[in-house]
Each structure stands twice: as C-alpha cells, then as structure tokens.
Amino acid sequence: MINSFNDNVLELHKILEMLKNECSNDASRDMALKIRPNASVSDVKEEVQKTADALELTVKFGSPVFYNITNAAALADRASSGSILSLAELIEVRKLLHQISALTEWHDRCGNDAKSLEFLFECIFPNSYLERLLDSSILSEEELADDASPELSSIRRRISRAGVKIRENLESMIKSSETKKYLQEARVTLRDGRYVLPVKSEHKGAVNGLVHDTSSTGATLFIEPMSVVEANNEIRLLKAQEQEEIHRIITHLSALCGEFALQFASSYKACVTLDLYFAKAQLAAKMHASVPEISDDGIIVLKKARHPLIDKSRVVPIDLTIGESYNSLIITGPNTGGKTVILKTVGLLTLMTMCGLLIPVSDGSKISVFQNVLADIGDMQSIEESLSTFSSHMTRVVDILKKADSESLILLDELGSGTDPIEGAALAVSIIEKLKECGAKIICTTHYQELKLYAIDSEDTENASCEFDVETLKPTYRLIIGSPGKSNAFAISRQLGMPDDIINNAESMIGSENRRFENILEGLEKSRLELEKLRDEADKNLTESEKIKESLAKEKELLEQHKEKELEIARREANAIVRRVTQQSEKLIDELDSLRKEKDKADFAQKAIDAKHASKSVLNNMYNESNPVTKSGSDYVLPRPLVKGDRVLISDMNKNGIVVTPPDASGNCFVHSGVMKTKIHVSKLRLIEKEAAPVQGKQSKPQNKAKSSGRVTSSGVESRMTRRPQMELDIRGYTVDEGIYEVDSFLDAAVMSGANSVTIIHGKGTGALKNSVREHLSSHRLVKTYRRGVYGEGEDGVTIVELK
C-alpha cells in the first residue's frame, strides 16, 4: 500500500463507490470498497491485466451472469461438522451451485481465451448431481417437493386419499336432511389438523362425536363425527411419518453439502473474485477506459485524459507529460481555468491504475507507480483548529515534505497563496527546490509571476498554462505545455464593464519589469496560436493525403484482384472455346471426307446440298464460338446495306475495318481490321460513309448479268455475277497465312458443289503470295493439277486448278 496523504482529496473513494455499484453480491461489494493503491509494479501490472482480460472477454462473449450469492461455503463447512441445515440455508447452497454452473458454462464458450483469469475458473468445482438433487427436492423455504424421495411421495399420496375419503363422508352428512338442520354452516372445516363439522351449540348432542373447538361467540361447536375419527387418526400418523421423512431428507442433503465443503469454499471465493474483476471491466466500459503502459520509472504520459467523475460531454481531454525531460511542472492561468481539475486528473488516474483499474485515456499513455501520492488541493481550512487558509495549507505541505522522496508524486494547488504575495512566492520557490532535491515529481499550480520566471530559468522545470478565451470570458480547459499563462485580470475586468480609467491606473502601477514580462508572454501566446493553426492545417493535409494514399492503394489492390480474376475466367473460356471449335472442325472434316467418297452415287447431289447447309450452320457456330458477339443496347441502324469494300467502325472493339464479304442471310460478314480477319454481325458495325472504298488489291469483278456463277467462300456459297464461267477465289491483298486458309476452305466447298476446275486470283505483286499458293497446291489432297493463267485468263496473276 502507498502512503497517500488523503485519498479523499483525489476522490478515489468515489471511484470505488462506482465500482461497488457494478458488483452483484455483498462480498464483492465489500472487496471493492477495501481496494487500496499498490506500489508494486508487478502486482499493478497483474491486476490491470486481469481487468483488461475481463473487458476483452466481455466484448467477445458478453458478460457472465452473476447472482447475489451469500457465503454458502460457511454453511457447507458447518454441515461438514454434523449440523443440519434449514431449507432456507439449503436454498443458499443451491444458489451457489447455480452460480458455479453459470460460470462454468460461460467459460466453456470462451475456450482458452480466459488468459490471466484462467486460474480463477480452475478454482470453480461444479456439482451437477447435488444441484439437480436440490432443485428437485426443495420447493421453497417451507416445503419439500413430493419428488424429494419415493417414500415422501407415497406418504403424501396416502394422506391425500385419506383426506378425500373423510371429506366424502362428511359431505354426505352435510347433504343429509337429518344432519343438515343441526349445522351452523354446510361446510367441512379443519381444527388442529382434523376434519370437523360446525354444529350449533344448542344441538350439541344431536351429532355424535368429539368437540375440538368452539367459536368465539360460543354459538358454534366444531365436532369431529365418530365415523371419521379413525380416518383422522390415520392422517395424524401419516403426518408424523411425513415429518420424519422430511427430517431424514434434509439430514441427507445437509450431509451431502458437508462432503463438498472444501470445493464450496474454493468455488465461492473464485466466484466473488470474478464478480469483482468483471465489475472492473463494466466500469471501464462505461468510462471508455483503456490500458496504459505501466512502469516504476517516474514517467507519466497522459493522452486525451479525462477526469472520470466529470461528464465526458463536458470535460476537455488533456495531454500531459512529466518525468522525461523535466520533473517539475508549474501550471498557471486564470481562476476557473481548470488547473485544479488537471491536478486531480493526474493524481486520480495514477491511483486508479495502482488499484488495478483501467483509466479514461487514449493509446500511448503511460502511468508510473509511486510509493507516495501526496496532494494539497483545495481549501481545507479547519475551524476547530482555528487555522487560517495559509496555515492549513502549510500544515499539509509540512507533512508532505516529511514524506517526500524520489518515489513520490507531489500535487500542490496554489502553493504559497493566502499570505503576502512576495513572501508567498519566495516560500513557494523554496519548497519546490526542496522537493526537487528529494527527486520527487512535482505538479504545482500558481498565480505567482516569480514561479513562471523560475520555471523558465530552471532546466528541470517546465511551464504550462490553462488556455482562456478573453473574448468569451470562458476557459477552454486546454493545457498548453511549455507556455506560461496570464492571469488576464485586466482583460477580464474590462470585459465585465470595469471603467477604463481604473484599469489604466492599475496598469500604470505595475513595474516596468512586470509589464515587459507580460508583453513577452502576450507575444509568445500569439506566436503559439499562429503555430497551432499552421500545425492543424498541416495535420489536416497530412491526414487527407494519407486517406487518399490508402484509398488508392486499396483501389489498386482491388483492380489487381479483379484483373487476375478476369484473366483466369478469360483463360478458361478461351480454352473451352478452342476445345469446342476444334471438335466441330474435326467433325466437319470427317463429314467432307465421307461425302467425297460417295461422289459417284446417284443421290450425291442431294447429299451435297444437305451437307452444304449443314456445313454452313456448323461454320457459323464455329465463328460465333471463336468470336462471340455481345448484345448492344444501341439503336443504331445502318443507312444502307453493307457491300464489299465499305469502311466500318467495329463498336465492340472501337476499331476501324473494311468489309471483305457482304452480310449473309444471318447478318454476319467478314471484316478486316489490321492483320486480323473476323466474322462480325452487322449490328456491331457502324458505316463510315465518307471513307467507303474498295479493298486495296482486291478490285471487284465486273458483273455479268447474263450468267451467275456460284462463288464458294469459307462462309458458304456466295451468288455473284462474274466475267468467268469458272468458280474463282480472289485473295489479292491477303497475307500468306490468310490466303492459304481461304484456299483450303474454297477447295473444300468446291468439291462439295461438284466443281471440276476453279480459278484462284492472287495477283503478281512481290510473288510471295503466288509462290506460297502454288507450293501449297502442289501437295494438296484435293488438287489433281494446276497451271498459271494464259492471256485472257489473268496470266501469271491467277492459277487454274483441276480438282480430283
């Protein structure tokens, strides 16, 4: 325990009273009020950790249920000595068992998260057998249940049957006209546990029986008819047996409780202690408290600290440090500016931590444990001792000086006040010097200018001030470290309406040194406010930039994830399309081979036509698979049908292209875009009218209206008029690979249509396309012979092919 001057000065007792109200039973409430600050840093850390763990468990799993239990362990101990417990005492034992079961079930839900509180849960011993037995046996403090034992249940059934039999007998007598006229009332009643009838006193001899009682007026006699005497005697005997069985049951239950006296003692203590720790957690939650760093190096760092007894909506959080670069802090400022609240906040939060409680501060705060927390705060003038304000203060300061050492926290309010200012200031400086020699940590409030100057000149002492808004005449309650405060007496008086001549006269009385010092303080205050404004703007910009940076990083991460996901989907879809198109292509080739073998049969022509339609459908599906076209929500309509050579915009790809073939019956056409040739539906094309031109190197042939030839392309049979009676393929302007692909498709279609000879127009150019085509034809499975064209056929720009 610490040697605090007076806990009441810092109002620790009010905090403990709040803790008591969070407890559930008298024992834990008593423990809460008896808590005292501990000066052992290891003990303090352990206690704070237990409270922190209780708070964490409460957040994760909810608070366990605690009952208002009594010390049933003492009852069990008495039963272990042979005492028989009453039903009320057995009920208290049952309540303890219920508490043990509730905590055990709650702990089971937590798993291994109990941490520092685990040892307390290990001290709890549930006894489900005894708990169920007490639950089933006891109905109230006066009654055992029928199920307490088979014998008790049997006796009570026999008593009930005997009672019913007696009542039936008496009811029949009441209904009898012969007996009814002698009765005062037609009802059965009980006297001394026996069933009787209320008979008029004047007819005493009319009903044969025993008189058990008489009414207060003497007008009624309560007579037990002789016909039910025997039955009533039986009930009396059964009642005696019932009491004997009840005594036996209670004795047995008491003995069972006595057998587990040690377990009850351990469990009760653990339950009460757990109640206290979870009460600390509940108090911490209400205060929005957190765990500070705990040490014994004398350093206190408070961040956003609040006094726990002041409404959090009214109190302004403070930041304060002591014990690092300075060991003494002198706080100045106007009255009602919050200086005393700061002293109490530092002292009370220190004591709360040393009591194992969490404190209302932000992360990064630090509390040191001290051997002594000594405070002189407020005016505690003693009338009985006839002490003045100054004498009262000095009496407490003298006591503090006797106890102060290097492990002490000293809190002094208005040091040196209540006497001559010059002497009071000198005495205050001397007291601080003495306390500093002891190595104590000192926080002192004052109005004396001498102490402000002392803090400026002393290396181990720092100034601080409580901010005050002169315009509104209200304190802001902010603590400014490193800046001495002004009393602002003249400014406040002027705002309150004090005449200017009085204030000016007062200012003229102040010495030049004091006036110069006040002007310096005023200049420092203006500079501080400007710097704070700049710092706030910088912090705001930094915060915004960090948010933008974080947002961009998250967006980049999401884009990367989306990119990888889309790429994976595209890979899978592409692989699936390749597999399907490959399968369809192989199937089509097989069908063509089969059809070619049947070219000499009579129904070949019909089969060729059917195969042509089937192949066209299959090829269309293959192009759709390899180049799927998404639906567009656009309402664009082509101004005219597309023709070969039209320049178009491919809307899905946002690229220009040239129409290679006019649209077929399904609306699909081939379009060149760069080096790629693709099949696209006309709904995805936008006509570029001003740039419409024939495809370079692929002039259209003049149409012959007299005769139409069936030109075969990779998309099927295209009907167009031409100057040649032969079937021909124009691949001028194609690359070598594109040209070879078109030649293969063209020859397959030509064989299907029954053609014997076809013409391939490739042009002369550099000769690369011509030579590649002829080299390919030399080994083609469908080609019988081929030759260059002669004059009138296109000469070396064409190749005439004879099919097998």
Side-chain angles (χ1 to χ4, degrees):
M1 296 300 110
I2 66 170
N3 298 315
S4 174
F5 174 74
N6 188 346
D7 289 349
N8 290 336
V9 173
L10 297 174
E11 300 177 303
L12 176 63
H13 63 288
K14 294 183 179 180
I15 299 296
L16 298 181
E17 189 68 28
M18 293 171 63
L19 176 61
K20 167 197 163 185
N21 294 334
E22 297 296 329
C23 296
S24 300
N25 58 75
D26 293 338
S28 55
R29 294 187 188 104
D30 187 56
M31 289 173 64
L33 294 178
K34 291 180 179 179
I35 293 176
R36 290 295 176 266
N38 195 321
S40 169
V41 66
S42 59
D43 291 347
V44 171
K45 287 182 177 180
E46 183 179 348
E47 289 300 301
V48 169
Q49 187 59 52
K50 290 175 184 177
T51 304
D53 288 345
L55 179 59
E56 182 181 350
L57 289 170
T58 299
V59 172
K60 285 184 177 181
F61 307 103
S63 180
V65 177
F66 287 97
Y67 304 115
N68 184 15
I69 57 175
T70 59
N71 190 2
L75 299 176
D77 184 61
R78 183 157 57 84
S80 67
S81 301
S83 296
I84 299 176
L85 304 180
S86 66
L87 287 179
E89 290 172 332
L90 288 172
I91 288 176
E92 291 302 321
V93 174
R94 185 173 64 182
K95 285 173 62 177
L96 175 58
L97 288 169
H98 287 167
Q99 178 68 85
I100 292 170
S101 294
L103 289 176
T104 301
E105 292 173 4
W106 185 88
H107 177 251
D108 290 341
R109 293 199 304 271
C110 298
N112 297 322
D113 289 346
K115 300 178 182 178
S116 61
L117 299 177
E118 187 65 36
F119 80 100
L120 287 173
F121 285 101
E122 291 175 354
C123 293
I124 295 176
F125 300 96
N127 192 328
S128 56
Y129 167 73
L130 182 56
E131 182 181 3
R132 288 195 301 270
L133 186 59
L134 292 175
D135 281 338
S136 62
S137 299
I138 303 175
L139 293 180
S140 67
E141 294 183 359
E142 294 82 22
E143 185 179 5
L144 278 179
D146 292 348
D147 295 335
S149 76
E151 180 64 21
L152 181 62
S153 178
S154 174
I155 291 172
R156 287 181 173 176
R157 283 197 303 271
R158 287 153 61 193
I159 292 174
S160 177
R161 286 197 298 267
V164 169
K165 184 177 179 181
I166 293 173
R167 292 187 66 87
E168 289 176 350
N169 192 337
L170 295 180
E171 289 289 345
S172 64
M173 294 179 65
I174 291 174
K175 294 176 182 179
S176 169
S177 57
E178 183 179 350
T179 306
K180 186 176 183 180
K181 59 185 178 182
Y182 304 126
L183 301 179
Q184 193 73 262
E185 296 178 73
R187 64 184 180 86
V188 178
T189 186
L190 280 172
R191 282 294 184 272
D192 193 23
R194 302 178 76 88
Y195 290 94
V196 296
L197 293 176
V199 179
K200 296 176 182 178
S201 57
E202 60 268 25
H203 300 297
K204 177 180 178 181
V207 177
N208 184 27
L210 302 176
V211 178
H212 284 280
D213 199 2
T214 183
S215 66
S216 57
T217 61
T220 304
L221 299 176
F222 296 97
I223 298 176
E224 178 186 6
M226 294 304 295
S227 60
V228 298
V229 169
E230 194 63 34
N232 270 326
N233 289 338
E234 182 183 358
I235 290 177
R236 181 64 63 88
L237 291 174
L238 289 172
K239 288 285 187 181
Q241 294 177 16
E242 178 187 24
Q243 291 304 314
E244 290 178 1
E245 181 61 16
I246 289 174
H247 180 74
R248 187 195 66 79
I249 293 171
I250 293 176
T251 302
H252 175 65
L253 294 175
S254 300
L256 284 177
C257 293
E259 291 179 8
F260 300 102
L262 293 177
Q263 291 90 329
F264 280 134
S266 174
S267 298
Y268 174 75
K269 184 177 180 180
C271 290
V272 170
T273 307
L274 282 170
D275 184 24
L276 179 62
Y277 284 121
F278 280 96
K280 288 182 178 181
Q282 292 290 349
L283 182 62
K286 290 183 177 180
M287 291 182 178
H288 299 285
S290 60
V291 182
E293 180 185 349
I294 301 171
S295 69
D296 57 355
D297 55 8
I299 298 175
I300 295 177
V301 179
L302 298 181
K303 295 184 178 181
K304 304 297 181 184
R306 294 178 288 103
H307 195 289
L309 296 176
I310 302 177
D311 186 353
K312 58 179 176 290
S313 63
R314 293 176 48 233
V315 66
V316 176
I318 63 168
D319 294 334
L320 181 145
T321 302
I322 190 171
E324 290 183 330
S325 57
Y326 52 87
N327 291 322
S328 301
L329 185 66
I330 295 178
I331 305 174
T332 52
N335 289 325
T336 71
K339 300 189 300 297
T340 302
V341 172
I342 292 172
L343 286 182
K344 288 188 174 184
T345 300
V346 176
L348 181 56
L349 296 188
T350 300
L351 292 179
M352 286 176 62
T353 303
M354 296 169 69
C355 288
L357 298 171
L358 307 190
I359 57 176
V361 294
S362 294
D363 293 340
S365 296
K366 179 178 180 180
I367 293 291
S368 177
V369 297
F370 294 93
Q371 293 296 325
N372 299 290
V373 177
L374 306 171
D376 173 31
I377 299 175
D379 183 8
M380 300 173 63
Q381 181 174 345
S382 174
I383 297 177
E384 293 181 359
E385 297 179 7
S386 300
L387 296 177
S388 66
T389 299
F390 176 76
S391 299
S392 177
H393 278 295
M394 284 302 104
T395 299
R396 294 194 295 274
V397 170
V398 169
D399 188 69
I400 288 173
L401 287 169
K402 292 178 181 178
K403 298 177 180 177
D405 56 21
S406 60
E407 298 183 2
S408 297
L409 173 64
I410 311 298
L411 306 171
L412 301 172
D413 191 23
E414 301 293 351
L415 180 61
S417 63
T419 187
D420 179 77
I422 297 176
E423 292 181 356
L427 186 59
V429 170
S430 180
I431 291 171
I432 291 175
E433 287 283 354
K434 182 63 176 178
L435 291 173
K436 287 173 64 176
E437 289 178 6
C438 299
K441 306 298 181 291
I442 309 161
I443 303 178
C444 170
T445 68
T446 185
H447 285 287
Y448 290 143
Q449 188 164 289
E450 289 81 359
L451 287 179
K452 302 176 189 178
L453 292 170
Y454 171 77
I456 293 175
D457 294 336
S458 177
E459 294 182 357
D460 197 30
T461 305
E462 184 62 87
N463 268 308
S465 60
C466 290
E467 192 177 55
F468 189 86
D469 191 336
V470 179
E471 295 182 0
T472 61
L473 296 181
K474 292 182 179 179
T476 65
Y477 300 107
R478 290 183 59 210
L479 180 65
I480 311 300
I481 302 292
S483 174
K486 296 177 60 179
S487 63
N488 295 302
F490 294 155
I492 294 173
S493 299
R494 182 177 281 111
Q495 288 286 345
L496 292 174
M498 183 69 69
D500 288 343
D501 57 336
I502 296 178
I503 294 175
N504 294 335
N505 186 36
E507 287 178 338
S508 66
M509 295 180 183
I510 299 177
S512 59
E513 287 297 324
N514 287 339
R515 189 180 300 112
R516 188 166 63 87
F517 181 70
E518 289 293 323
N519 291 336
I520 292 173
L521 290 182
E522 187 174 352
L524 289 173
E525 181 67 11
K526 290 181 180 179
S527 299
R528 182 188 66 78
L529 292 175
E530 291 176 359
L531 288 173
E532 277 196 354
K533 184 178 179 180
L534 292 173
R535 185 190 64 188
D536 291 343
E537 291 179 356
D539 290 343
K540 182 180 179 182
N541 292 334
L542 179 61
T543 301
E544 290 179 354
S545 65
E546 289 294 333
K547 288 181 179 178
I548 294 173
K549 181 179 178 182
E550 183 179 353
S551 176
L552 290 174
K554 289 181 179 179
E555 186 175 352
K556 179 181 178 182
E557 183 179 356
L558 289 175
L559 286 174
E560 289 294 332
Q561 294 175 356
H562 184 69
K563 171 186 173 184
E564 291 300 324
K565 183 178 179 181
E566 291 299 322
L567 284 175
E568 181 60 27
I569 293 174
R571 291 189 197 100
R572 290 198 298 267
E573 291 181 351
N575 290 334
I577 290 173
V578 169
R579 287 194 300 270
R580 290 196 296 271
V581 171
T582 300
Q583 292 171 358
Q584 292 173 353
S585 300
E586 292 175 350
K587 182 179 179 181
L588 183 59
I589 292 172
D590 293 340
E591 291 176 353
L592 288 174
D593 289 340
S594 176
L595 183 62
R596 186 171 63 251
K597 295 175 181 178
E598 299 179 2
K599 59 189 286 187
D600 296 329
K601 294 184 178 181
D603 59 348
F604 174 75
Q606 182 61 42
K607 288 184 176 180
I609 294 172
D610 295 341
K612 180 171 64 177
H613 290 300
S615 65
K616 183 176 180 181
S617 176
V618 171
L619 287 169
N620 283 336
N621 289 336
M622 290 166 61
Y623 276 109
N624 289 335
E625 285 283 355
S626 60
N627 183 34
V629 180
T630 58
K631 293 184 179 180
S632 173
S634 173
D635 296 330
Y636 176 80
V637 178
L638 288 167
R640 61 173 174 80
L642 296 176
V643 297
K644 181 177 180 180
D646 280 342
R647 188 171 291 276
V648 293
L649 171 68
I650 305 173
S651 60
D652 287 346
M653 303 169 61
N654 197 28
K655 291 184 178 181
N656 291 341
I658 298 174
V659 176
V660 177
T661 65
D664 59 16
S666 300
N668 295 320
C669 61
F670 284 95
V671 177
H672 263 297
S673 179
V675 297
M676 182 178 67
K677 177 184 178 184
T678 183
K679 185 177 183 181
I680 301 178
H681 196 271
V682 292
S683 63
K684 301 300 177 184
L685 301 178
R686 307 289 183 265
L687 179 64
I688 305 175
E689 301 229 36
K690 293 183 180 180
E691 300 181 10
V695 179
Q696 185 177 358
K698 298 170 65 177
Q699 289 94 1
S700 302
K701 306 295 183 294
Q703 294 184 352
N704 186 345
K705 296 183 179 180
K707 188 174 182 179
S708 173
S709 67
R711 180 185 176 192
V712 181
T713 69
S714 61
S715 62
V717 179
E718 176 189 347
S719 297
R720 68 185 298 271
M721 303 303 294
T722 180
R723 62 185 172 84
R724 296 180 182 276
Q726 308 99 324
M727 299 182 66
E728 53 183 48
L729 170 68
D730 189 349
I731 57 173
R732 287 175 293 182
Y734 282 58
T735 64
V736 171
D737 290 340
E738 291 175 336
I740 298 298
Y741 173 79
E742 291 293 337
V743 167
D744 286 341
S745 300
F746 172 68
L747 294 178
D748 287 338
V751 170
M752 289 174 57
S753 64
N756 295 320
S757 177
V758 295
T759 300
I760 300 174
I761 305 172
H762 43 64
K764 298 177 182 178
T766 62
L769 179 60
K770 173 188 68 177
N771 295 334
S772 297
V773 168
R774 288 176 179 173
E775 182 181 356
H776 182 64
L777 292 173
S778 65
S779 59
H780 200 284
R781 71 183 189 282
L782 301 179
V783 176
K784 184 176 181 181
T785 61
Y786 68 90
R787 64 177 175 82
R788 63 187 294 276
V790 298
Y791 181 76
E793 289 180 326
E795 303 179 23
D796 203 32
V798 301
T799 298
I800 310 301
V801 181
E802 185 179 353
L803 301 173
K804 292 180 179 179

